[in-house]
Amino acid sequence: MKDGFRFERFGSVGAFPLVALTKRKAGPRPRIYLSAGIHGDEPAPPLALLELVESGILDARAVWFLCPLLNPDGLARGTRENASGVDLNRDYRHLGAPETCAHAGWLARQPNFDLAICVHEDWESTGFYLYELNPDGRPSLAEPMVASASRVCPVDPSPVIEGREARGGIIRPPFDPAGREKWPESIYLQVHHTRLSYTIESPSALPLSTRIAALRAALGAAIDRTAGPRR
Ligand SMILES: [Zn+2]
């Protein structure tokens, strides 16, 4: 497949495969994980990841792990949830759904990631925003991601987003997996597979092309800072 990506089918749901795209190179390189499409009513994130693959930006600077469509049934139906009505992004503590179970199985076969980004969009937001989980206080990628997205679309200026304190489109929630009954993918990744993760959100009210461009801009900023500038 294009650019040396390996296409891996790690499960299926209904008529649809669950797939990962990976690209490994010898030598020490940062390991970057990107996922999208866990909410079926959010079409921009899977398209943004496919555009990144096509663009060639996911190059030899890093080792890549992509899950571009974690809820294919939901995307086909245009629903947030899967075909059984489960919000998969609340299912990662107990892994009750076939999608999250298969995804966790695939993740268990991968090395740990230096960076993980879950790509989403938000129907209520008027601008781009993101969540950061960075319990070790590593150099933050939040500000560069927001700055890059802001060149494409507005940033949500609200002091409270989704019930959490926010500043300049950045939410830094406490990392409290034991206190949360329903884990999103990001908490699961943080507990088992990475020490730095982001959930980025584009505003659904804007045109699809703008949302894709905003997500690509934010992802590009995070990738360049983690893997070095493109040569
Ligand atoms: Zn979402």
Side-chain angles (χ1 to χ4, degrees), residues 10 18 33 35-39 67 69-71 86-107 118 120 177 180-193:
F10 62 80
L18 294 166
Y33 167 87
S35 76
I38 199 166
H39 288 142
C67 291
L69 185 51
L70 288 170
N71 181 9
V86 176
D87 183 342
L88 299 176
N89 208 32
R90 301 289 180 272
D91 191 51
Y92 277 86
R93 182 156 191 171
H94 303 296
L95 302 171
E99 293 93 338
T100 52
C101 194
H103 183 215
W106 178 81
L107 283 167
C118 307
H120 286 253
R180 292 181 66 161
E181 176 55 23
K182 296 185 173 181
W183 287 4
E185 181 195 6
S186 60
I187 296 279
Y188 185 85
L189 290 168
Q190 197 77 28
V191 168
H192 295 291
H193 298 287

Side-chain angles (χ1 to χ4, degrees), residues 161-175:
I161 301 175
E162 294 285 302
R164 293 188 183 275
E165 188 183 328
R167 185 174 298 178
I170 298 170
I171 306 167
R172 294 186 163 103
F175 179 53

Side-chain angles (χ1 to χ4, degrees), residues 7 14 64 197:
F7 187 90
W64 302 99
S197 73

